[in-house]
Amino acid sequence: MKRIDLRSDTITQPTQKMRDAMYTAVVGDDVYGDDPTVLELEAYAAKLVGKETAIFVPSGTFGNQLALFTHCKRGDEVILGDDCHIVVHEVGAASVIAGVQLRTLVTDKGALNPEEVNRRIRKEAEDIHYPSTGLICIENAHSNGCVISIENMNKIYEIAKEKEVPVHLDGARIFNAAIHLNVNVEEITKYCDSVNFCLSKGLCAPIGSILAGSEKFIEKAKKKRKLMGGGLRQAGFLAAAGLVALKEMRERLIEDHDHAKLLGEELSKIPSIKVYLDDIHINMIFFEMNETGYDSDKFVDEMGKRGIIINPIEDGLMRFVTNYWVSTEDVHYVVESIKEIISK
Ligand SMILES: *Cc1c(COP(=O)(O)O)cnc(C)c1O
């Protein structure tokens, strides 16, 4: 039977090329700085996003939390969107690891309002009651599937520079954002001081993320990575797959975006389904299916019977995510399956 997994792009298997690269990888002890494949990946990744240097970390969550931990001191305040990954999906780690206070702002589809960011920045010295703003975090592409404009990032970065507050970019899907904006990724990352991005997800590496920034920042982060248990030994096996991800899997993300658009458009032709077509910026489709009269659990079940694996409804919305392992033919099969299910 077919198996089409639309739950997330985190389910992607490594490509054959990655498996081959991992098999033959030259490795060493990266805690000693001896792993040539990790060093090659870090140098390649840093150059790609226009930063001085970078370090390999086990996951995106690790990279974000390490960034907070490195930029801030305990009790600092971090300004960020109330719907961002760091707030919603990282188990409250910011309060446990960095010991910071999160100052959340309501966003417009993930975008922070620059004037509001400006108003919220605080300096300890201004008032005995105040914490210091230690960091501003932006997420692009946002995990809601939307891409934040360059203009918005630029405005926030200008304010941050003026007030001398660093900016961290959670760019888990930064290459998806670059494809949507049709720019070089550096055009996005120049508006941040540090950036975290995933080698897994759409790029298909099995494990790993990169945190990039200035030499001084990464030197500090390296020690904190060790503290957090992220000093890995023969990590070159993972870095080998990461290099294939960065060299060969970035440009093709456009196929996932095209598939998402196609799937969204085809679904929107079904009268009882409401697709948020304008919000299909990357590889994610959000839709409502209340009018089909179909209960979410039963729908998940019926799809499963046809080899299509999906997540149940969340906050009234269904989400499908395309990836390397979902073909054009699969998209058509999914649409036909849904038509068949809801017509019954
Ligand atoms: C997936 C994701 C992360 C975390 O990555 P993990 O590797 O799953 O820990 C962080 N931020 C955003 C926006 C993400 O989508």
Side-chain angles (χ1 to χ4, degrees):
M1 189 167 78
K2 264 187 190 299
R3 187 189 151 94
I4 303 169
D5 198 335
L6 299 175
R7 287 174 302 174
S8 177
D9 50 11
T10 55
I11 57 81
T12 45
Q13 295 275 322
T15 63
Q16 188 57 47
K17 199 142 187 194
M18 289 176 183
R19 290 173 186 270
D20 294 343
M22 286 189 271
Y23 188 73
T24 57
V26 180
V27 299
D29 185 340
D30 186 50
V31 176
Y32 280 102
D34 272 357
D35 190 306
T37 312
V38 171
L39 297 177
E40 185 187 341
L41 172 68
E42 290 172 341
Y44 188 88
K47 189 153 182 276
L48 196 59
V49 294
K51 298 296 173 203
E52 284 173 10
T53 186
I55 47 170
F56 181 77
V57 290
S59 70
T61 301
F62 197 114
N64 280 335
Q65 295 302 327
L66 180 58
L68 264 58
F69 195 21
T70 307
H71 281 296
C72 302
K73 60 181 194 306
R74 293 181 83 77
D76 274 357
E77 198 161 61
V78 177
I79 297 175
L80 73 188
D82 64 350
D83 51 1
C84 75
H85 198 276
I86 293 172
V87 172
V88 182
H89 286 121
E90 301 190 7
V91 213
S95 65
V96 179
I97 301 170
V100 292
Q101 158 159 303
L102 300 182
R103 189 94 186 269
T104 58
L105 308 185
V106 174
T107 70
D108 177 12
K109 292 184 179 175
L112 295 168
N113 178 325
E115 283 79 43
E116 205 185 342
V117 170
N118 196 17
R119 278 199 300 278
R120 295 288 185 261
I121 294 174
R122 310 203 268 182
K123 294 284 172 208
E124 245 168 324
E126 286 171 8
D127 187 309
I128 194 174
H129 303 91
Y130 282 6
S132 263
T133 302
L135 187 66
I136 297 164
C137 291
I138 297 173
E139 185 172 311
N140 203 9
H142 199 274
S143 33
N144 66 12
C146 289
V147 172
I148 312 301
S149 72
I150 299 267
E151 191 195 356
N152 179 271
M153 289 197 56
N154 184 6
K155 272 191 191 153
I156 292 171
Y157 196 57
E158 271 179 13
I159 291 163
K161 284 301 102 183
E162 196 194 310
K163 300 260 171 106
E164 297 179 335
V165 178
V167 174
H168 171 67
L169 171 61
D170 176 359
R173 296 189 182 83
I174 187 80
F175 302 110
N176 296 86
I179 297 248
H180 176 73
L181 294 168
N182 196 21
V183 296
N184 254 322
V185 71
E186 260 187 275
E187 290 301 309
I188 304 175
T189 52
K190 71 182 182 196
Y191 302 113
C192 69
D193 299 290
S194 62
V195 55
N196 169 57
F197 56 89
C198 293
L199 303 166
S200 54
K201 298 195 171 166
L203 298 183
C204 293
I207 296 168
S209 287
I210 293 286
L211 178 64
S214 69
E215 299 266 6
K216 202 171 147 211
F217 171 78
I218 296 296
E219 191 189 317
K220 251 177 100 182
K222 202 165 265 182
K223 185 147 186 169
K224 292 184 186 288
R225 178 182 68 172
K226 189 78 184 83
L227 184 155
M228 288 166 68
L232 304 177
R233 301 297 177 178
Q234 285 70 30
F237 289 116
L238 303 176
L243 275 165
V244 177
L246 290 185
K247 287 180 181 171
E248 297 184 20
M249 303 297 281
R250 283 184 292 121
E251 300 296 328
R252 65 145 304 282
L253 290 172
I254 196 163
E255 292 168 27
D256 300 343
H257 295 195
D258 290 345
H259 284 149
K261 282 193 199 93
L262 176 65
L263 182 50
E265 277 159 17
E266 290 302 314
L267 287 181
S268 72
K269 290 179 192 160
I270 305 173
S272 52
I273 291 185
K274 182 184 169 205
V275 184
Y276 290 84
L277 275 181
D278 292 342
D279 294 343
I280 305 179
H281 293 179
I282 57 170
N283 59 343
M284 294 181 188
I285 306 117
F286 288 88
F287 61 94
E288 287 174 23
M289 53 180 298
N290 311 339
E291 284 177 35
T292 61
Y294 236 90
D295 153 65
S296 154
D297 289 346
K298 189 149 172 259
F299 182 64
V300 171
D301 226 44
E302 286 297 325
M303 292 287 270
K305 284 183 197 159
R306 291 160 179 81
I308 305 164
I309 304 156
I310 58 170
N311 280 327
I313 205 159
E314 202 183 320
D315 298 328
L317 289 178
M318 297 292 300
R319 185 189 80 164
F320 287 173
V321 185
T322 57
N323 66 70
Y324 179 75
W325 302 99
V326 177
S327 67
T328 310
E329 189 198 332
D330 292 343
V331 169
H332 291 296
Y333 174 76
V334 168
V335 174
E336 289 316 309
S337 300
I338 293 176
K339 283 183 185 162
E340 185 194 297
I341 291 169
I342 66 174
S343 71
K344 280 208 290 195

